[in-house]
Amino acid sequence: MEEKKFDFNTIIGFVLIGGILLFMLWQNQPTPEEKEAQKAEKAKIEKLAEDKAALEKSSSDISLEDATKEIASVNKGDSLSLASLQNRLGSFAYSGTLPSAKENTTVIENELLYITVSNKGGYITEVKLKNETIYNGSSVYLIKDGNSTMNLQFSAENRLLNSEDLYFEPTLSSNGNNSVLSMKLKTASDKYIEYRYELIPNDYMLGFSVKTQGLDNVINTSQPIYLDWKFKGYRHAKSITYENRYSRLTYEHENEGKHDKLSPTGEDAEIEKDVTWMNFRQHFFSSMLLTETPFKEVALSSIDLVLDEAIDTVYTKQYGAKMLLAPKSGGISYDMNMYYGPTDYKVFKEYDRNLDEAMPLGWGLFGWLNKYLIIPLFGFLTGFLPAGIAIIMLTVLIKLAMSPVQYKQYLSQAKLKVLKPELDEIKVKFEGNKMKIQQETMKLQNIAGASPLKGCLPAILQIPVFYALFTFFPSAFDLRQKSFLWAEDLSSFDSIAELPFNIPFYGDHVSLFPILASIAIFIYMMMTTGQTMQQQQQPGMPNMKFLMYLSPLMMLVFFNNYASGLSVYYLTSNLITIGIMLVIKKFIIDEEKILAKIQVNKKKPKKQNKFQKKMADMMEQAEQQKKNKK
């Protein structure tokens, strides 16, 4: 067996190989400069990862896929530098690194409003009216759960930005008794976009401004800058169909010269110039934006969201206003106001900015009667009377004021009644000759002073008051949630029974006040139209019997879903009218005296006016032409 010996040559070989390896490792280790380069490269990669995260919160025109590719390019040592990628991302991408860049809100409030403003987007995300409730007793929210957004859209650093995607830094302070909230979207401590809110005690109007600071070289003012307000109106009333009928986008434009509105049904859109305010009206509540500097151009839109009364719809209308802002000295500066509160004429008039034009009070004479007669009078009455009693008193005062006109109307009807025997004789005497019958009838009526036109004229004079009241009651905020007898809310229908099905135009319930008002109208029509039917029916006159049934039927069907306060007015009005007519008939007008006076007047020559003479000549000519043809 061979004896193992220690081999020095092998040991020397291993030592030489180890030395060579150590030399190679020492030779290939990075220099201090290379170590610094590696550290810098690592920092680049970490920074790009942060930029990618910030990019996810911005509306940059560079995609996340592109950012990832560019990060990979840096890792591979490509020529694209970190600085070039930062330039593409832009300054606003770094808003995410601010302390305020988190989901948080700030509250400002006074005795009337509770307002919440979000850091993200810097706009109002909640508005609660503290002193108001809806039909089921819940609080009135004009803004809640994302139904309203306010977005400033602008171009900066070769990309389109939307403020609603970026984070603002809040600062809450006070200006005397006013609460001031400054929301700033910063690129640096002295460079920012600011939304400023100022809330005054006991006021529905708050100050609102949009301004920029130090962004002259950042915001591209050669591209359009828009303030985009989107809003969906919540349902607040028991009858969403009735509420939706009076929910409408109204606005003032062309330097306070014109007031217009979009359609209350379907979809409608307009582009207007120089808009000074807009109102997203929800019947009894309004959300408004007003500006000291008119918006150069505004794209307004309205979409009706109520398709079926039977469906439990949450929203009534979807409104939109995209406002084109005009830059000043390279920046933006707009002083505005926001109004969140009741659609109340008395409140609107306090601001002296034509806000009453946002209310459906009627046009021309009708609106004038509402503004200067009916609203002040009703406001005075509700100052010391319950709303239901105030409606009755308002009706009594108006009927008393109109009683002289009604007296003349009934007097003309009484004259026609006593002339009926003579009118019947004319009809028999000239039977078959309609032209002659009409001619002799007009002659007799003229002598007696009993022209049907004189009876219609007083009724025509009452139409402006009638229509003014028709527009007043649905918009009277003082009636909201005021009860009377069985009606829980005079601004809504007074349901006494629910139906298991829905009747087209009528609804799924039965309201009592419209039924009573229909009965009163029918009795009144019987007393007036019934007398007319017994008198000489002139050729071409409408069918009085048809009208006698049509008016009560329309009242019964269409007013079933209207405000019960309006039905209370019509019921009271017709009951008073019936009472006045009975008093006039029983105690004031003596038909025998009227007949005797007519006989005396027939003996006196009565000169015709120009119109009567012209009508008589025309009828004589027509009669002569008829004879010539024969």
Side-chain angles (χ1 to χ4, degrees), residues 29-39:
Q29 72 177 349
T31 64
E33 291 79 11
E34 290 176 335
K35 289 181 179 180
E36 290 297 324
Q38 289 177 357
K39 290 180 180 179

Side-chain angles (χ1 to χ4, degrees), residues 278-440:
M278 65 211 69
N279 181 14
F280 295 168
R281 191 177 76 216
Q282 302 166 249
H283 194 186
F284 283 121
F285 300 99
S286 291
S287 301
M288 306 182 73
L289 181 64
L290 309 91
T291 177
E292 297 291 341
T293 304
F295 297 119
K296 185 177 180 180
E297 184 178 278
V298 180
L300 300 160
S301 62
S302 174
I303 302 175
D304 188 0
L305 302 178
V306 179
L307 302 178
D308 191 344
E309 166 77 16
I311 299 175
D312 187 17
T313 307
V314 177
Y315 304 103
T316 54
K317 292 283 197 314
Q318 179 174 310
Y319 298 122
K322 192 169 186 178
M323 297 148 269
L324 179 62
L325 305 185
K328 296 180 179 179
S329 302
I332 305 170
S333 180
Y334 273 82
D335 291 321
M336 296 174 278
N337 292 97
M338 289 178 167
Y339 175 89
Y340 295 106
T343 308
D344 190 343
Y345 179 81
K346 298 189 296 296
V347 177
F348 280 176
K349 287 298 291 183
E350 293 177 358
Y351 298 108
D352 193 27
R353 297 183 69 172
N354 299 323
L355 302 188
D356 56 287
E357 297 292 340
M359 297 187 63
L361 296 176
W363 54 272
L365 177 61
F366 312 117
W368 185 88
L369 286 171
N370 272 325
K371 293 177 182 179
Y372 302 107
L373 175 63
I374 296 173
I375 291 177
L377 180 57
F378 189 72
F380 170 75
L381 294 173
T382 52
F384 59 92
L385 292 174
I389 302 300
I391 292 175
I392 295 174
M393 287 303 301
L394 176 69
T395 311
V396 170
L397 293 175
I398 290 176
K399 296 304 291 186
L400 288 176
M402 300 296 293
S403 58
V405 177
Q406 189 170 358
Y407 170 77
K408 291 184 178 181
Q409 180 183 5
Y410 193 82
L411 179 61
S412 179
Q413 292 174 350
K415 289 180 179 180
L416 289 173
K417 182 179 179 181
V418 298
L419 285 176
K420 186 178 183 303
E422 295 185 54
L423 294 173
D424 290 341
E425 291 179 7
I426 292 173
K427 186 176 180 180
V428 173
K429 183 178 180 180
F430 300 99
E431 186 177 1
N433 191 341
K434 294 183 180 180
M435 184 68 72
K436 190 64 176 177
I437 291 174
Q438 189 174 8
Q439 187 177 2
E440 292 298 319

Side-chain angles (χ1 to χ4, degrees), residues 106-121:
T106 305
V107 172
I108 54 175
E109 60 181 316
N110 61 12
E111 295 79 2
L112 304 174
L113 297 174
Y114 181 93
I115 298 174
T116 302
V117 184
S118 173
N119 287 7
K120 187 174 184 181

Side-chain angles (χ1 to χ4, degrees), residues 66-268:
D66 291 339
T68 304
K69 289 180 179 177
E70 293 186 3
I71 292 171
S73 298
V74 174
N75 291 336
K76 293 177 181 178
D78 292 349
S79 59
L80 179 61
S81 67
L82 173 65
S84 66
L85 180 56
Q86 289 176 337
N87 288 335
R88 290 189 64 186
L89 290 172
S91 302
F92 286 98
Y94 299 101
S95 63
T97 63
L98 295 175
S100 61
K102 55 186 177 181
E103 295 289 348
N104 205 352
T105 58
T106 305
V107 172
I108 54 175
E109 60 181 316
N110 61 12
E111 295 79 2
L112 304 174
L113 297 174
Y114 181 93
I115 298 174
T116 302
V117 184
S118 173
N119 287 7
K120 187 174 184 181
Y123 59 84
I124 294 175
T125 55
E126 184 177 293
V127 174
K128 181 175 74 172
L129 303 186
K130 291 185 174 182
N131 301 328
E132 305 296 338
T133 57
I134 63 175
Y135 66 99
N136 60 9
S138 302
S139 298
V140 171
Y141 284 91
L142 300 185
I143 297 178
K144 187 181 180 182
D145 297 333
N147 72 312
S148 177
T149 61
M150 182 77 73
N151 177 45
L152 184 66
Q153 188 180 80
F154 58 97
S155 296
E157 301 165 327
N158 299 321
R159 64 200 183 103
L160 187 65
L161 290 173
N162 295 290
S163 65
E164 64 181 354
D165 299 323
L166 304 175
Y167 288 86
F168 288 66
E169 184 176 344
T171 302
L172 187 60
S173 61
S174 60
N175 181 12
N177 294 325
N178 302 347
S179 298
V180 178
L181 175 61
S182 172
M183 304 292 293
K184 291 181 179 179
L185 173 60
K186 294 182 177 180
T187 62
S189 60
D190 58 344
K191 296 180 181 181
Y192 52 82
I193 297 173
E194 181 186 27
Y195 289 172
R196 186 178 186 274
Y197 304 91
E198 184 168 356
L199 186 59
I200 304 171
N202 282 302
D203 204 329
Y204 293 106
M205 187 84 73
L206 66 151
F208 173 60
S209 63
V210 177
K211 296 181 180 179
T212 60
Q213 173 68 40
L215 300 178
D216 298 6
N217 298 324
V218 178
I219 295 179
N220 186 357
T221 56
S222 64
Q223 296 297 319
I225 302 173
Y226 293 105
L227 185 64
D228 192 3
W229 186 19
K230 293 183 176 66
F231 184 93
K232 288 200 294 186
Y234 278 116
R235 171 185 182 175
H236 296 131
K238 184 163 55 175
S239 172
I240 190 171
T241 301
Y242 182 66
E243 179 181 19
N244 198 41
R245 186 180 295 120
Y246 295 96
S247 296
R248 201 167 187 180
L249 193 159
T250 59
Y251 57 95
E252 180 181 75
H253 62 113
E254 295 186 359
N255 296 324
E256 303 182 5
K258 295 183 180 179
H259 298 88
D260 280 313
K261 55 187 76 68
L262 297 187
S263 173
T265 59
E267 297 185 20
D268 194 12

Side-chain angles (χ1 to χ4, degrees), residues 493-497 506 509-515 556 559-561:
F493 55 80
D494 57 308
S495 176
I496 59 169
Y506 186 76
H509 63 275
V510 177
S511 298
L512 182 55
F513 274 126
I515 295 175
L556 179 65
F559 279 61
N560 190 61
N561 291 300

